[in-house]
Amino acid sequence: MLLAMSDDALNPEDRKIITLARSARARNGAPEGAAVRDETGRTYVASTVALESLRLSALRTAIAMAVAGGARSLEAAAVVTEAGEPAAEDLAAVRDLGGAGTPVLLAAADGTLRLTATAD
């Protein structure tokens, strides 16, 4: 499900993961940056992986890092991208770890929240 949402409705923790995702994207010059927050409040940050033998979106990379770090669930995820909506594969990965209804915040390169999707 996709929902329009204003920046005013963001809590500070959601704003933080958007900022972290934006920083990862800029630092690596990648098409996407992502950050996820687990059930304990820890954050995991990643950018797109584009190797000849391995291709992962920023969000799936951040989720893999969370799983490798011992996360058992997700509270929220953020992606900074030019895409109009999260990829189905990204939403599926969020749902696998966070469950249905986990919010995925989609932001523009400047950090402006464009929409919120849920991993239903």
Side-chain angles (χ1 to χ4, degrees):
M1 174 188 302
L2 302 175
L3 305 169
M5 189 172 178
S6 75
D7 282 332
D8 297 337
L10 284 176
N11 70 47
E13 291 301 311
D14 289 345
R15 171 59 49 206
K16 175 183 172 183
I17 61 173
I18 289 174
T19 300
L20 290 169
R22 185 175 178 221
S23 295
R25 180 180 185 262
R27 179 178 54 252
N28 296 326
E32 295 181 340
V36 298
R37 184 175 62 247
D38 75 7
E39 76 283 0
T40 68
R42 289 179 297 187
T43 56
Y44 304 85
V45 181
S47 61
T48 309
V49 174
L51 301 174
E52 189 172 322
S53 62
L54 178 63
R55 298 205 179 272
L56 290 172
S57 70
L59 186 51
R60 282 180 275 160
T61 304
I63 292 167
M65 293 172 66
V67 170
R72 294 177 185 226
S73 183
L74 293 180
E75 290 182 351
V79 182
V80 174
T81 181
E82 296 304 320
E85 62 185 54
E89 296 89 353
D90 287 349
L91 292 176
V94 169
R95 184 176 51 252
D96 286 349
L97 186 58
T102 303
V104 178
L105 310 168
L106 191 76
D110 67 359
T112 303
L113 180 64
R114 293 197 315 229
L115 62 90
T116 299
T118 55
D120 295 334

